[in-house]
Amino acid sequence: MKFNAPKGTQDLLPDVTAAWQRVERKFADICRLYGYEEIRVPTFEHTEIFQRGVGDTTDIVQKEMYTFEDLGGRSMTLRPEGTAGVVRSFVENGMASKAFPVKLYYLITAFRYENVQKGRYREFHQLGVEAFGSEGPLIDAEIVAMLAHFFRERGLKQLDLQVNSIGCPSCRAEHKKALIDFLSPHKDELCADCRERLERNPLRVLDCKEESCRKVTEDAPVMLDYLDEGCKAHFEGFTEALDNLGVAYHINPRIVRGLDYYTRTVFEFVSENVGTQGTICGGGRYNGLVQELGGPEVPGIGFAMGEERLMIELEAQGVLPDERPVPRLFVASMDEASLKKAQQLVQRLRYRGIPAEYELCGRSMRAQMKQADRSGAEYLMVIGQNEREAGKANIRSLRERDKAEECFAFDDMEGLAERLRA
RNA sequence: GUGGGAUUAGCUCAGUUGGUUAGAGCGCCAGAUUGUGGCUCUGGAGGCCGUGGGUUCGACUCCCAUAUCUCACCCCA
């Protein structure tokens, strides 16, 4: 019987996990720098959390959720994204009574039953933040600036930052009406998908890649022109703050988000490298979500970054970190008694924080040398009968062949450790 | 749900118009003076050629089905 990992899942093997760890550490560091604290929430929630949070009409809820009945007859769902669960936790734990803004970050896996392709998996990792309680546009800009900061620190060249405002429910309704009025006469010129979208979600027509549709929508009414006073002022405040912070962006009036909860500010960092998905990171404001999940009227904003997509981008830009553990010293041994000596020696070095290795697979002397070399160790020590009797042994550089050997007594562990630390 | 490409050793891949014991490189193990690595040389382990049918004297090769991987549509991080 041959088993393989379920479709859309993947094993992250040792040759990449170091890079992942480094990225995650950097993300956490940046978050803390901006005053965010980590939150860990359940991998699955009551299904209703996502139906209400993400939106009953979205593709995610309608056809992509891993939903199951638990043994107690409750409907549970593996989280398809992070925000809904964090908002639930915010409400349940009374965080609305804390000093605002409440700033949270998280590293999670999420699950969606989708067809797999580049940068899109059924189990995937997200790095995200949510900030609660700040209505004004400054925090919108701060979050975006934090992301730009993170990308720069991680060695990425400027990604394309696209921003937009999709207004509030009332001005969005105005725009939707205008859009339908505009598109309906051109219905025959739209592609089959878009004709259907016209009914369900006309905003999506603006997003279509079909040449014919693009032509039709060229002069279509733009959401930004339909913002009411408050939404308009908010968006202006947002872009002004980005200018003030020196964050480069461009306004893309066609950005639409696939989740129902977004209001006003939406943004994406996009790249050509991550397949046709494009979006490495997407987010926005969700002013009605806390209430939707039974909490008080508290505004929120957040984003989620696809970690797999981020790794693809790092690789494409040639800045993928690589740090495999490398011993400072490899201790080879000639015989059984020497092996025991090596075992003690290596352990004592490790107690002192020095990564060291010895032979664990019973290899011959010659093979131990190869292993030492392959391990990337900086120094080599060989222990045999002579060394045991003398109570001391030489260390030799494996990198520089001409370098003189240095002798250390077995009872001078501190001296050896000191030398290896250098 | 709909298309394109792929599936042969742990990895990357050859395999001629169907022909008998299926190959290479890398990796792994061992050896080339029983106290010394990188280079080189020699040897070894490791494949029901994704799975199931069919055509044929004969199938890795041709046909059908199916699974898996991958890319794309759709949607999203």
Side-chain angles (χ1 to χ4, degrees), chain A residues 105-179:
Chain A
Y105 79 87
Y106 52 83
L107 291 72
I108 62 170
T109 52
F111 308 84
R112 293 183 198 172
Y113 190 83
E114 295 186 277
N115 279 325
V116 177
Q117 58 185 287
K118 189 173 186 182
R120 212 181 74 181
Y121 310 95
R122 290 184 175 178
E123 179 185 29
F124 57 103
H125 297 72
Q126 288 191 332
L127 311 175
V129 314
E130 312 293 347
F132 296 93
S134 181
E135 176 73 57
L138 294 187
I139 195 153
D140 304 37
E142 182 183 273
I143 277 186
V144 170
M146 181 176 96
L147 277 163
H149 188 173
F150 168 73
F151 291 136
R152 195 173 65 236
E153 289 266 306
R154 215 21 280 146
L156 287 175
K157 293 204 192 69
Q158 185 68 52
L159 295 172
D160 184 18
L161 168 60
Q162 305 190 349
V163 304
N164 190 23
S165 174
I166 58 170
C168 58
S170 70
C171 43
R172 200 146 64 223
E174 289 279 314
H175 173 246
K176 187 173 174 182
K177 191 161 164 287
L179 190 60

Side-chain angles (χ1 to χ4, degrees), chain A residues 82-368:
Chain A
T83 303
V86 171
V87 171
R88 190 228 82 228
S89 177
F90 176 86
V91 173
E92 181 173 345
N93 294 291
M95 285 190 251
S97 63
K98 298 179 94 170
F100 286 163
V102 175
K103 293 172 157 184
L104 305 168
Y105 79 87
Y106 52 83
L107 291 72
I108 62 170
T109 52
F111 308 84
R112 293 183 198 172
Y113 190 83
E114 295 186 277
N115 279 325
V116 177
Q117 58 185 287
K118 189 173 186 182
R120 212 181 74 181
Y121 310 95
R122 290 184 175 178
E123 179 185 29
F124 57 103
H125 297 72
Q126 288 191 332
L127 311 175
V129 314
E130 312 293 347
F132 296 93
S134 181
E135 176 73 57
L138 294 187
I139 195 153
D140 304 37
E142 182 183 273
I143 277 186
V144 170
M146 181 176 96
L147 277 163
H149 188 173
F150 168 73
F151 291 136
R152 195 173 65 236
E153 289 266 306
R154 215 21 280 146
L156 287 175
K157 293 204 192 69
Q158 185 68 52
L159 295 172
D160 184 18
L161 168 60
Q162 305 190 349
V163 304
N164 190 23
S165 174
I166 58 170
C168 58
S170 70
C171 43
R172 200 146 64 223
E174 289 279 314
H175 173 246
K176 187 173 174 182
K177 191 161 164 287
L179 190 60
I180 293 172
D181 289 346
F182 175 88
L183 290 175
S184 293
H186 299 284
K187 196 171 177 182
D188 296 339
E189 301 158 49
L190 296 172
C191 69
D193 285 338
C194 282
R195 262 171 277 166
E196 204 182 311
R197 288 188 184 112
L198 190 51
E199 310 290 326
R200 278 206 342 264
N201 189 353
L203 274 180
R204 286 251 160 255
V205 179
L206 298 178
D207 217 20
C208 187
K209 285 145 198 149
E210 284 292 330
E211 189 60 37
S212 56
C213 298
R214 282 189 173 277
K215 211 163 179 184
V216 172
T217 58
E218 228 163 55
D219 303 312
V222 170
M223 183 67 237
L224 288 176
D225 296 331
Y226 286 78
L227 296 179
D228 62 27
E229 285 298 307
C231 292
K232 194 173 176 198
H234 188 275
F235 187 61
E236 281 167 3
F238 174 51
T239 53
E240 269 171 32
L242 289 179
D243 291 336
N244 192 43
L245 291 167
V247 176
Y249 62 92
H250 67 258
I251 296 171
N252 176 357
R254 305 202 163 199
I255 295 186
V256 177
R257 312 256 64 223
L259 289 74
D260 281 354
Y261 52 61
Y262 287 110
T263 57
R264 293 191 169 171
T265 306
V266 292
F267 60 87
E268 290 183 2
F269 282 87
V270 301
S271 164
E272 300 171 339
N273 294 323
V274 295
T276 49
Q277 311 313 321
T279 304
I280 291 174
C281 173
R285 182 167 275 281
Y286 45 85
N287 285 349
L289 185 57
V290 175
Q291 272 181 303
E292 182 66 33
L293 291 178
E297 190 180 336
V298 174
I301 180 169
F303 67 78
M305 179 154 41
E307 197 170 1
E308 285 82 0
R309 293 183 185 180
L310 176 63
M311 301 311 286
I312 290 170
E313 182 66 18
L314 290 171
E315 165 121 58
Q317 292 201 24
V319 292
L320 199 62
D322 177 32
E323 296 169 332
R324 305 207 65 177
V326 170
R328 293 291 294 164
L329 178 72
F330 190 97
V331 183
S333 42
M334 305 292 308
D335 51 44
E336 197 61 26
S338 302
L339 181 63
K340 286 182 178 163
K341 192 76 213 169
Q343 183 181 41
Q344 288 182 338
L345 217 71
V346 164
Q347 189 64 9
R348 285 172 189 156
L349 287 171
R350 287 172 176 165
Y351 284 148
R352 288 169 170 78
I354 309 289
E357 293 291 338
Y358 67 110
E359 178 54 34
L360 290 169
C361 296
R363 288 185 177 85
S364 68
M365 189 61 214
R366 180 189 188 80
Q368 287 185 59

Side-chain angles (χ1 to χ4, degrees), chain A residues 344-398:
Chain A
Q344 288 182 338
L345 217 71
V346 164
Q347 189 64 9
R348 285 172 189 156
L349 287 171
R350 287 172 176 165
Y351 284 148
R352 288 169 170 78
I354 309 289
E357 293 291 338
Y358 67 110
E359 178 54 34
L360 290 169
C361 296
R363 288 185 177 85
S364 68
M365 189 61 214
R366 180 189 188 80
Q368 287 185 59
M369 296 300 298
K370 284 193 174 186
Q371 180 59 24
D373 189 55
R374 190 168 30 200
S375 75
E378 188 73 31
Y379 293 97
L380 170 74
M381 173 181 279
V382 176
I383 301 180
Q385 195 181 351
N386 297 346
E387 285 78 8
R388 286 205 317 280
E389 285 169 1
K392 59 185 183 180
N394 289 341
I395 67 167
R396 170 165 100 229
S397 172
L398 284 166

